[in-house]
Amino acid sequence: MNTGNPDPDPRSTPGLEPGGGVPPGETPPAESSLSEAGPRHEPPRGWARGPLIAILVVVVLVAAFFLVYAILV
């Protein structure tokens, strides 16, 4: 197993200018760490509709219980 540097040698990589720059119109060499990166997606924002409705139902039931208790006592 080769554990050497995975980056290409800029002196022998075609399409690079002296110092490692890329001339206009050339595609830079591939980044080795990006080959395993998966697609990016934004995580969902806010609460899901089901849990939010369940919480609201519980809040309304508790409020109704205390309202009825206050009226009867």
Side-chain angles (χ1 to χ4, degrees):
M1 182 169 152
N2 186 1
T3 59
N5 188 356
D7 294 332
D9 184 11
R11 294 175 300 214
S12 64
T13 303
L16 291 180
E17 293 179 336
V22 179
E26 285 285 329
T27 302
E31 182 73 32
S32 63
S33 65
L34 294 179
S35 64
E36 297 180 17
R40 300 187 127 215
H41 64 282
E42 295 294 323
R45 293 184 175 181
W47 286 79
R49 189 175 305 246
L52 187 58
I53 290 174
I55 291 171
L56 289 175
V57 167
V58 169
V59 168
V60 168
L61 288 175
V62 169
F65 171 77
F66 283 113
L67 181 65
V68 169
Y69 185 77
I71 292 173
L72 294 178
V73 173

